[in-house]
Amino acid sequence: MPTPTFGSDELAQFRKTFFEECTELLADLEERLGALAAFSGDIESLNAIFRAVHSVKAGAGAFGYSVLVGFAHRFEALLDRLRDGKAELDERTLAALVAAADVFSALVDLARQGESPADDFGADVAEELAALLDGDGPARPAARAAAEAPEAPAERIYRIVFRPNAELFRHANEPLYLIRELKALGTLTVDCDLTRLPSFEALNVDDAYLSWTMTLRAECRPATVAEVFEFVDDECELTIEEIAATPAVQAEAAAVTPAAPAARATPTPAPAAAARTSGATAGKSAAMSSIRVDLARVDRLVNMVGELVIAQAMLAQQFVESHDRDDSAGLQGFEHLAGLTRELQECVMAIRMQPLKSVFSRMPRLVRDVSHKTGKEVRLEMAGEQTEVDKTVIEELADPLTHMIRNAVDHGIEDTAARLAAGKPAEGVIRLSAQHAGSNILIHVEDDGAGLDRDRLLAKAIEKGIVPAGVKLSGEEIDELIFAPGFSTAAAVTDVSGRGVGMDVVRRNIMALGGRVQVVSTLGRGTRFTLVIPLTLAVLDGMVVAVGWEKYILPLTSIVESFRPDRGQIRSVPGGGEVASIRGEFVRLIHLARLFGVHEAVDDPSQGLVVLIELANGSKLGIVVDELIGQQQVVIKSLQDNHDPVPGISGATILGNGRVALIVDIEELTRLNDRSDRAARRADAPPRPLLVNA
């Protein structure tokens, strides 16, 4: 079939849509292969993989990607044998399926980039597929394969009546491509039927009115002809009849399409195949309830709604300042507007939220590949794949999680001999999980390996010059060394790790999202990394607090309560710092004024307020402020676009009076306060501020 040209915007859009669908299909294929790799998949997994390959193949054929179509045909053949129970899913077959999926995905990428693959691209995988189809081990020699190949079908003559439904064009289908594909099969004669064409005044350019009667003379089977129409078989009336054929051939044609005028060119399924067909139909029906929208349009919509929220807050404050507070009708109107604005913002944000499953589904394959390369037995356990997070965040999580999982297998999990000697099972376990925690999402990567050897880490850091010799570091500071650029404890460089890159990339990428990485390790028992990431990068429910002349935003979802303590509830602790007694529990106090260098602020907690915060690890913290201004939904503006990252600050927002307020990163406050106290003790001076507001 000749390759269609994409000079027009319309054809280019069809091609773009095809590759977008390929991305979704290949992601589902990868996930299903992961289930098969764990031998936890069922027949539906094979059916889904087959449908994905077949769908990509059909679309690739329409655009003339012949190499991709040819490889997909071999891939399909093996999958079909597995579905029908004619082949066994063993280790060799599974390895061939995984390798075929890699080649298949690479061919799609080359087609997307407009590049042609090398002549021998994927040849070894294609030979392995052929060998498995033969069922006799190594691939057959070419001469033998040619000798055993079935004879080509004799020339046949088909009469095809194609009558599209009116809405055919609205579903991005083009009859011209179908006719071109039929012509590529043999000699084609086409007659166009104009009887349904209305008058010019009644013509709707979006509707299909023409129908065609075609005669095809080709050396192909009826199933090959029917395959041309598989993507439009539910959007047309189609008849495929063979003329001047033997009774045996006519019987074969009847199995492909009945002779009734309204019949479709869909093969009559066997009982086992009927279930597969019904599943595919259900998937198609479900897809009709969604639409594909360019992410740039959604981002623009989110930004505009964010500006609307700011404008609404400004108008509300101006009204309060310039009108009588007894104007209940005006206040009620602004409250109604605020409610509608909030609901609109929540609806828009819900469009951007997607489950983490799209990222998590890649990890089983990664663990399997790296464990085979390192010769280790590793099992991956996952939980929380359906946890939803902003799509912008999801797109940035793939690389950090890939580095962390690879490091967990290579560095965290011991080899089999070491695990058995330590009294552990031979198989190591890596747990990948996600959960909501207030306005953040927590992603845990935990292994049951050897843990971090702090003595070895410190010695390696001194050897590489990352820290000076003789320095005294706390356990937490030693753990942080793994994030230093160029740091690695690997004895040799391999294709898995050892180059000193990876964990520094993880921290940098997560910090770019406004998040952070926490590490907790126990020598001999394992290590847990926690990614603390904002649920969304667009909006936040916050509490506006006053500290001196400054205003700060505290995430509302982390606030438990606020209170003014009595002097008797405040206790000083050795080495500096204060705690407050709350219902028999002592809670550490942190003064924002001291931490951020704000002058003329309340220093005595009994004269101000304490906002009780619950951290992600379940502990509580008291933040001392002057007063609470009120609850407000704020639009997050990144500081990193125009400024370096600020410790303890996750972003900024614009208040109703037009002033900028900083959003406090409450999870970072404890660490910043500890660092400030240590610096003060070393210098024998009062705690110094880490950030001074201008």
Side-chain angles (χ1 to χ4, degrees):
M1 184 184 72
T3 303
T5 57
F6 298 106
S8 70
D9 293 341
E10 184 179 27
L11 295 181
Q13 182 61 38
F14 290 158
R15 184 176 183 274
K16 179 182 177 182
T17 301
F18 165 66
F19 285 117
E20 288 175 350
E21 292 176 349
C22 284
T23 300
E24 297 173 0
L25 291 168
L26 291 175
D28 184 59
L29 185 152
E30 190 75 23
E31 180 184 351
R32 302 287 186 166
L33 273 179
L36 291 181
F39 293 99
S40 61
D42 53 12
I43 186 63
E44 182 53 37
S45 294
L46 282 172
N47 291 338
I49 295 172
F50 181 88
R51 288 195 296 268
V53 174
H54 189 69
S55 298
V56 174
K57 170 190 169 184
F63 287 98
Y65 299 125
S66 57
V67 177
L68 178 56
V69 171
F71 186 84
H73 186 70
R74 292 191 177 118
F75 198 177
E76 272 185 336
L78 180 57
L79 289 167
D80 207 31
R81 290 194 63 181
L82 289 169
R83 294 195 308 163
D84 294 339
K86 297 178 181 179
E88 182 181 356
L89 183 64
D90 53 16
E91 286 286 353
R92 179 188 175 189
T93 305
L94 181 60
L97 291 177
V98 172
D102 288 342
V103 173
F104 192 56
S105 179
L107 288 172
V108 171
D109 288 339
L110 288 172
R112 180 186 285 111
Q113 297 163 13
E115 300 177 6
S116 299
D119 293 339
D120 60 346
F121 186 85
D124 54 340
V125 178
E127 289 178 1
E128 177 67 2
L129 294 177
L132 290 169
L133 287 169
D134 291 340
D136 60 355
R140 295 176 298 171
R144 179 182 163 201
E148 296 180 1
E151 295 182 1
E155 182 180 86
R156 307 183 183 194
I157 302 174
Y158 298 96
R159 180 176 179 273
I160 305 164
V161 178
F162 175 49
R163 184 186 297 269
N165 296 339
E167 64 272 11
L168 179 79
F169 294 130
R170 301 171 191 164
H171 298 157
N173 292 308
E174 174 53 67
L176 176 61
Y177 295 154
L178 304 177
I179 296 174
R180 285 179 178 175
E181 191 169 353
L182 285 174
K183 187 177 181 181
L185 297 176
T187 303
L188 184 69
T189 303
V190 182
D191 292 322
C192 183
D193 184 0
L194 306 178
T195 56
R196 293 194 302 169
L197 191 66
S199 64
F200 183 79
E201 293 77 10
L203 185 69
N204 186 342
V205 295
D206 292 328
D207 288 346
Y209 299 105
L210 306 181
S211 57
W212 293 267
T213 300
M214 296 168 278
T215 303
L216 174 65
R217 185 184 298 269
E219 296 179 356
C220 64
R221 301 186 185 278
T224 304
V225 180
E227 194 176 65
V228 173
F229 298 93
E230 64 180 334
F231 272 81
V232 297
D233 61 351
D234 56 351
E235 297 181 9
C236 67
E237 296 178 5
L238 179 66
T239 303
I240 300 176
E241 296 178 306
E242 187 168 353
I243 57 178
T246 64
V249 173
Q250 289 177 345
E252 180 182 356
V256 175
T257 175
R264 293 170 181 160
T266 304
T268 302
R276 298 196 293 262
T277 305
S278 63
T281 305
K284 182 177 289 188
S285 300
M288 293 299 181
S289 63
S290 63
I291 60 173
R292 183 177 287 106
V293 180
D294 190 349
L295 184 60
R297 296 186 179 184
V298 179
D299 289 339
R300 183 182 177 189
L301 178 61
V302 171
N303 290 335
M304 293 303 297
V305 172
E307 296 300 323
L308 177 63
V309 171
I310 294 174
Q312 181 269 329
M314 288 183 173
L315 287 173
Q317 182 161 339
Q318 292 173 6
F319 178 84
V320 171
E321 292 176 352
S322 61
H323 289 71
D324 186 356
R325 294 182 180 271
D326 294 333
D327 186 359
S328 59
L331 291 174
Q332 185 177 2
F334 271 102
E335 289 176 359
H336 181 61
L337 175 61
L340 292 175
T341 305
R342 182 185 184 87
E343 185 176 355
L344 173 62
Q345 192 170 45
E346 290 175 351
C347 291
V348 172
M349 291 309 305
I351 298 175
R352 292 171 55 104
M353 304 301 282
Q354 292 189 348
L356 283 166
K357 183 179 180 180
S358 60
V359 177
F360 277 27
S361 62
R362 312 176 195 178
M363 301 306 148
R365 167 73 185 282
L366 176 66
V367 170
R368 183 173 182 271
D369 290 348
V370 178
S371 61
H372 282 187
K373 289 180 181 179
T374 57
K376 299 177 180 180
E377 298 180 34
V378 185
R379 181 177 80 253
L380 177 66
E381 297 178 353
M382 298 192 300
E385 302 100 309
Q386 298 301 327
T387 304
E388 290 191 338
V389 68
D390 194 297
K391 179 175 175 59
T392 307
V393 175
I394 287 181
E395 292 174 346
E396 301 299 329
L397 282 178
D399 286 345
L401 283 180
T402 298
H403 284 301
M404 295 177 73
I405 295 292
R406 183 184 290 118
N407 268 14
V409 177
D410 191 34
H411 293 296
I413 302 294
E414 313 97 323
D415 57 38
T416 303
R419 290 184 64 85
L420 293 175
K424 296 181 177 181
E427 183 182 55
V429 178
I430 297 176
R431 297 178 181 85
L432 175 62
S433 62
Q435 65 184 89
H436 288 299
S439 58
N440 293 322
I441 185 80
L442 304 184
I443 300 178
H444 303 288
V445 180
E446 183 176 4
D447 65 71
D448 66 346
L452 298 179
D453 187 339
R454 289 174 174 171
D455 293 336
R456 185 182 175 208
L457 287 175
L458 183 58
K460 196 74 174 180
I462 294 175
E463 175 188 333
K464 289 182 171 290
I466 295 175
V467 296
V471 68
K472 299 294 183 181
L473 298 178
S474 65
E476 180 183 299
E477 290 172 331
I478 294 176
D479 292 344
E480 293 286 321
L481 291 174
I482 63 174
F483 298 104
F487 183 81
S488 176
T489 57
V493 174
T494 67
D495 59 349
V496 177
S497 62
R499 295 176 176 81
V501 296
M503 295 309 292
D504 61 321
V505 174
V506 169
R507 167 160 285 183
R508 186 164 58 250
N509 290 359
I510 296 302
M511 289 182 65
L513 292 172
R516 64 198 162 279
V517 185
Q518 300 172 348
V519 55
V520 177
S521 181
T522 303
L523 186 62
R525 298 182 59 182
T527 305
R528 183 177 70 177
F529 292 91
T530 301
L531 307 183
V532 184
I533 305 169
L535 189 60
T536 176
L537 305 181
V539 297
L540 173 73
D541 285 327
M543 177 66 71
V544 184
V545 300
V547 180
W549 292 101
E550 301 296 334
K551 303 292 188 297
Y552 292 93
I553 308 293
L554 301 179
L556 189 65
T557 53
S558 300
I559 297 177
V560 178
E561 61 179 305
S562 61
F563 63 95
R564 174 167 293 170
D566 298 330
R567 290 184 183 274
Q569 293 179 265
I570 310 300
R571 298 284 190 276
S572 297
V573 297
E578 296 173 320
V579 296
S581 175
I582 307 173
R583 292 183 288 275
E585 179 182 4
F586 286 97
V587 176
R588 185 179 182 181
L589 298 182
I590 290 181
H591 294 253
L592 287 187
R594 298 177 187 176
L595 198 60
F596 294 149
V598 179
H599 303 291
E600 300 182 8
V602 173
D603 190 64
D604 185 354
S606 63
Q607 300 299 317
L609 288 173
V610 173
V611 181
L612 188 62
I613 298 292
E614 184 172 9
L615 302 177
N617 60 9
S619 62
K620 292 183 173 61
L621 181 70
I623 299 178
V624 180
V625 300
D626 291 12
E627 62 176 318
L628 303 182
I629 303 300
Q631 175 184 340
Q632 183 175 331
Q633 190 174 54
V634 299
V635 179
I636 301 174
K637 302 292 185 181
S638 174
L639 291 178
Q640 299 182 35
D641 293 341
N642 301 296
H643 196 280
D644 293 333
V646 179
I649 298 297
S650 60
T653 190
I654 302 175
L655 298 177
N657 59 6
R659 292 191 59 188
V660 174
L662 300 178
I663 302 172
V664 177
D665 185 347
I666 60 172
E667 296 288 342
E668 192 75 7
L669 288 184
T670 303
R671 183 179 302 176
L672 291 178
N673 194 68
D674 291 344
R675 192 182 307 168
S676 178
D677 288 346
R678 286 197 300 268
R681 287 195 296 271
R682 289 170 184 169
D684 193 20
R688 58 186 179 183
L690 296 175
L691 171 67
V692 177
N693 287 313

